[in-house]
Every structure is written in structure tokens, then in C-alpha cells.
Amino acid sequence: MELSEIYQQNNYGGVKDFTPKISFEIFPPKNGNISDLFEELRILKKYNPALVSLTFGASGGLNRFSFEDIKSIRDLELNLMPHFTCVSMIKSEIENYIRSIENLGIENILALRGDIPEYLNTDDLDFIHASDLVDFIHTKSTLSIAVAGYPETHIESTNQKEDLKYLKQKVDYGASAIYTQMFFDNDKYYKYCEKVSEMGISIPIIPGIMPVRSLAQVDKMIGMARITFPEKFRQRLEKFPNDTKQIGIEFCIEQCQNLIDFGVKGLHIFTLNHSDQTSEILENIL
Ligand code: FAD
């Protein structure tokens, strides 16, 4: 099912259904053992996800799902949205990739630039920005395209206005949904939605939700991006180091409940390949 279809409001016999559509993000297991991931996915399938997105390591290798893996995950009867990063890829490789996933019957893709490795000379790249990739995919395929958005502004941007100008470009080139970077302060997301709307962008902005497992994980994530981490939340995690998973669940339930009350069309959960926290969160909010 395509993005626009997923996020359109359902209307059953005149009764509107405002339940947000749930999607999950997974990544290729670092040890290459895909069967554990299948187990987690079988558990998560119970929550009827509208989409499962598959990350794509810009550096390649074990950080990418093979086509065989994608096919096996699709065979679990899950609607897939592979991510794709264009940095360090040439046009013909990109076209081959698009064809291959279309041949698997996949309808959606998350089009990204990826982080530019230091050794790369950007003058040599076929695509420098995600907008170039969106334009290319839109021209060459019928895939429904999602893009990334940054409620607290992408780390390379000097200001939000500039970042939003380029987000608008991705939408003008054919994006149908925006999936955000994780955030822990919902006000940042609400303000972002307001600013995005002022740009004349009306496609769904699906919040990215990260259930915290440990403080070390938090520090790693926020060290790489512009993300505000609430002091009170940090203090709790520091005070109860043996209960961080449970504290993460409780925070997430409250965060998601608040987003649902706001009226989000979806919740995109970065599962980190674990079903335990995600299941408990969903049991409490759906
Ligand atoms: P862009 O949209 O190109 O933006 C990158 C920066 O360039 C921004 O500062 C933007 O304002 C600026 N910019 C854009 N266009 C122009 C222009 N024309 N001129 C000047 N400046 C411009 N990374 C992975 O490697 N694999 C993944 O699977 C992955 N999944 C992700 C999923 C989500 C939901 C999110 C939010 C991010 C994900 N990322 C992933 C991270 C992403 O690749 C990085 O954040 C990357 O640095 C930027 O990618 P982008 O698609 O947002 O790039």
C-alpha cells in the first residue's frame, strides 16, 4: 500500500478513525543473523503495522539488507519501505536498485542523502542532496517517496528557515510523506509542524519515536545530531541505572499519548530490532 493511501483518514460508515498508523524501523543485524530479527518481526506483526522501514547504511556491506533478506521480510506479509541513501552512489546503481525493489512488488521508498564520508569529494557525486534523489526516483519509477525531516533542524544547517526551504524542494520534487528524526520534546515537533505548514507543505509529518534503552545509547544518538534531551528524563535514567528500559517505556507511552491527542497521522517507532519495549508501548496506547 502506498504512503498516500496509508495516511488518508479512514471513514467507516461515516465514523472517522483517527487511530494513528503504526510503522516500525529495523536495521540489518550487526552479526548478520537475520533469523532473530524475523522472530521480533513476527511479534510486532500482531500490531498490524502499516509499514516496516528498512535502514540502508551509506557505507554499504553488512549495514544493508540483501535483496534476499528484503524478499524474506516481505514474505512475512509486511508492507515494506526500504531506505535508500544516494551519497556515493552513481545514477546507474540507483536505477538498478529502484528496479530491483519494484520487481519485489515494493511500493514505497525513503529517499535520503546519507552522511557524507570525509574522504568523499562532493564534486564527483552524481547526487549531492536528497532532493536530487527524490527528483530522479519520481522521474524513473512509480514508487511512493518519503523523505527525512528534522524538528530541531539538520545538524549541517545554520538555521531552520534554510533547512525548511530544502525540505520544500523535496516535497515539490514528489515526496508524499515526511518521517522525522527522533525527538524527546514534543513541543519541538509541534512547532516544526506549524513551520512546515507555513511553507505550504501539507503532506503527513510522521513523528520518529525512539524508546530509550540506556543512557549510553542516548548520548551516542544525541552526539551525532541536534536533539534536545529533557534534563528530568536524564536524571531519572541516571538515578535508576538498572531500570532504564522500563523508564524509557514509560516516557514513550506518555510521549505517544500526547502526540495522539495532538492528532498525528502515524507513529514511526525506531525499534532497534527489539520487540519488547515497542510491544509494551503499543499495548498501552492503542
Ligand atoms: P538532505 O535533505 O539532502 O539534507 C541534508 C542537509 O543539506 C540539510 O542540512 C539540508 O538543509 C541541506 N540541503 C538540502 N538540499 C540542499 C541544497 N540544494 N543546497 C544546500 N543545502 C541543502 N542515514 C542512513 O545512512 N541510512 C538510513 O537508513 C537513514 N535513515 C534515516 C531515517 C530517518 C527518518 C531520518 C530522519 C534520517 C535517516 N538517516 C539515515 C540519516 C540521514 O541520512 C542524515 O541525516 C543525512 O545527513 C541527511 O540526509 P537527508 O536525506 O535529510 O539529506
Side-chain angles (χ1 to χ4, degrees):
M1 191 187 285
E2 285 189 13
L3 293 164
S4 53
E5 210 182 324
I6 291 171
Y7 294 114
Q8 76 186 3
Q9 224 102 62
N10 293 325
N11 200 338
Y12 301 110
V15 180
K16 283 210 161 74
D17 171 18
F18 292 108
T19 314
K21 300 289 181 275
I22 302 300
S23 54
F24 300 130
E25 181 181 292
I26 57 169
F27 56 79
K30 298 221 180 323
N31 61 6
N33 184 357
I34 196 95
S35 53
D36 290 349
L37 177 58
F38 284 175
E39 261 329 293
E40 301 297 311
L41 282 172
R42 283 194 189 96
I43 297 169
L44 290 173
K45 202 179 162 206
K46 174 174 145 198
Y47 300 98
N48 201 15
L51 269 180
V52 173
S53 87
L54 315 173
T55 66
F56 185 92
S59 53
L62 279 179
N63 292 322
R64 292 181 188 165
F65 285 101
S66 68
F67 283 109
E68 267 317 301
D69 290 341
I70 298 179
K71 198 163 163 287
S72 310
I73 300 170
R74 183 211 57 184
D75 290 345
L76 297 174
E77 293 180 10
L78 292 164
N79 189 27
L80 302 188
M81 177 171 71
H83 299 195
F84 186 79
T85 60
C86 60
V87 69
S88 74
M89 301 288 266
I90 55 171
K91 273 187 186 167
S92 57
E93 287 173 318
I94 297 176
E95 206 168 345
N96 284 341
Y97 188 86
I98 297 167
R99 285 293 150 261
S100 305
I101 62 164
E102 276 189 319
N103 288 340
L104 290 179
I106 288 169
E107 294 176 279
N108 305 301
I109 189 163
L110 176 54
L112 300 148
R113 185 199 69 186
D115 289 329
I116 301 176
E118 270 171 30
Y119 59 84
L120 262 191
N121 178 355
T122 49
D123 294 341
D124 299 335
L125 303 179
D126 274 355
F127 296 99
I128 302 174
H129 308 294
S131 51
D132 304 326
L133 177 66
V134 174
D135 192 24
F136 186 75
I137 298 174
H138 191 59
T139 316
K140 296 277 180 189
S141 79
T142 57
L143 288 167
S144 185
I145 307 165
V147 292
Y150 302 85
E152 300 186 57
T153 306
H154 187 268
I155 195 145
E156 291 167 28
S157 290
T158 48
N159 62 75
Q160 192 178 46
K161 206 169 162 200
E162 183 192 89
D163 205 24
L164 289 175
K165 183 175 93 182
Y166 297 125
L167 176 72
K168 173 91 167 66
Q169 204 167 45
K170 296 195 275 194
V171 177
D172 289 344
Y173 284 156
S176 302
I178 299 161
Y179 286 80
T180 78
Q181 184 161 67
M182 75 192 77
F183 56 88
F184 299 94
D185 176 350
N186 285 359
D187 280 343
K188 305 275 184 211
Y189 170 80
Y190 301 144
K191 288 198 181 110
Y192 180 70
C193 291
E194 221 175 279
K195 293 263 184 281
V196 171
S197 163
E198 281 167 17
M199 297 293 291
I201 297 172
S202 57
I203 61 174
I205 307 167
I206 309 302
I209 305 297
M210 168 71 77
V212 166
R213 292 186 87 77
S214 71
L215 206 48
Q217 164 221 5
V218 168
D219 287 336
K220 189 172 168 211
M221 303 281 178
I222 64 177
M224 295 189 297
R226 216 177 251 148
I227 301 167
T228 307
F229 197 73
E231 198 43 41
K232 268 192 181 163
F233 189 12
R234 175 180 288 280
Q235 282 168 5
R236 251 195 106 205
L237 292 165
E238 279 169 352
K239 195 167 171 193
F240 302 104
N242 296 327
D243 298 331
T244 52
K245 262 167 62 177
Q246 193 54 35
I247 294 168
I249 290 171
E250 285 163 21
F251 181 89
C252 228
I253 291 171
E254 208 178 316
Q255 181 183 25
C256 291
Q257 203 55 65
N258 189 278
L259 288 163
I260 293 170
D261 293 345
F262 175 78
V264 289
K265 291 193 165 187
L267 293 168
H268 186 62
I269 305 180
F270 303 117
T271 66
L272 300 177
N273 290 3
H274 297 290
S275 63
D276 53 354
Q277 284 186 303
T278 302
S279 300
E280 196 167 335
I281 291 159
L282 294 178
E283 290 293 341
N284 279 277
I285 60 166
L286 292 181

